[in-house]
Amino acid sequence: MVLDQFFEQIKKQYDEKLPFVVYRKPNSSELKRMFQHDDALHVVVDFSESGFVFAPFDSLQEAYILPIEHADVICAKFDKNDFSETEIRSHETSDIVNNNKESEKLSHIKHVEKGIEAIAKGSFSKVVLSRRELIENVGTSPIEIFKRLLQRYPTAFVYCWYHPKVGLWLGATPETLLNVRGDQLKTMSLAGTQAFEGSADVIWKDKEKEEQQIVTDFIVESLRESLGNRQFSSDFIKVSEQKTVRAGNLLHLQTEISMRLSPETRGLKPILEALHPTPAVCGFPKEKSKSYIIENEDYPREFYAGFMGELHLKESISRNPNRRNVENNAYRVQKSVSDLYVNLRCMQMKDHQVFIYVGGGITKDSDPVSEWEETVHKSKIIKSVL
């Protein structure tokens, strides 16, 4: 399909106030869009459904899905040159990047100081505190912003999700919640942040390494608990070494985690309940830090730090390496695929207003001013495409 036509049809779906999602997976040259046939709002029951799921930070609230049986799915190929003109135009609004108010800075610093006090009292060992920034009179269309995100963040999961009864969200997230292909599950822990200044060969402070290890330990233990009291060998869950990865103008610490699912452990609901929200977006222990966030942040996170992505879609995979074989289809198998991502580096659009959500992990060693500066770095990712 011609790319211009691909986006024209998205605009038509949006103008007609019909639900859709358009997205690109990390390091992919394929765009995928899903159009729902009507404006019905479908709620996830037990994560056995198939479609594109959009779930909030608070797991006690409803998650929504564009069901595959009520939608059309179309794919299109692109390359980086398709959006080069968009990239040039985006620099015209660079003045938006540095419009933080002093009152916002002081408010967030006090927010962090209060969190550190709670840690000192033993309430929890880590809490992720965020802020929401309002930008008004944004004249750029969401589809244009989506194109700019595609151009700038090739290694991120980039998406634009819309439902007339819920709202419109966009983002470019570097963090995977989980990938499942057949019986293979992969996830990651991602924590620690510093600005990218030309090289990924950097030194990480003890605070950042500790934060990363908390997330990794939580995920491994949560996966074990989600599978019940079954006995597994010590290498049943595999954990990689920490490594530095780049996401736009930021660097993070990442650890990869994988495991094999058995027929009795393939249901995703207990796994998602155990993993979400991870300490990377919430804190540790989970329930205590989550309650603190909900009580002390002066706005609802809604879908910020929630998760979204493909849920139980079918993917056809060839077992035959010889693609020219005319009988190749006989060697193809279908696997159930779930690719879910944490909703970070995101924004919510309401008319000509944009709400940007950014945060950072707070531990006993956190410096409130540095934490504010970290949120400023993160906000640049979204503001620079407005």
Side-chain angles (χ1 to χ4, degrees), residues 18 40 63 109 182 202 216-217 229 249 334:
L18 291 173
I109 288 175
V202 296
T216 300
D217 293 344
N229 296 319
N249 62 342
Q334 279 200 332

Side-chain angles (χ1 to χ4, degrees), residues 168-222:
L168 188 145
W169 289 72
L170 302 101
T173 177
E175 184 167 356
T176 298
L177 181 63
L178 61 82
N179 301 131
V180 179
R181 273 168 173 71
D183 62 357
Q184 295 290 329
L185 182 149
K186 295 181 180 179
T187 183
M188 70 166 67
S189 61
L190 193 75
T193 301
Q194 57 179 289
F196 174 72
E197 296 179 348
S199 173
D201 185 15
V202 296
I203 296 174
W204 293 95
K205 298 177 182 177
D206 289 342
K207 178 258 181 186
E208 295 159 329
K209 293 179 181 178
E210 177 189 359
E211 182 182 349
Q212 166 68 6
Q213 194 60 48
I214 288 174
V215 179
T216 300
D217 293 344
F218 167 84
I219 290 175
V220 171
E221 187 59 32
S222 295

Side-chain angles (χ1 to χ4, degrees), residues 173-177 278 281 305-308 340-345:
T173 177
E175 184 167 356
T176 298
L177 181 63
T278 73
V281 298
F307 64 89
M308 72 282 181
L340 303 179
Y341 300 85
V342 182
N343 195 17
L344 300 176
R345 314 294 189 271

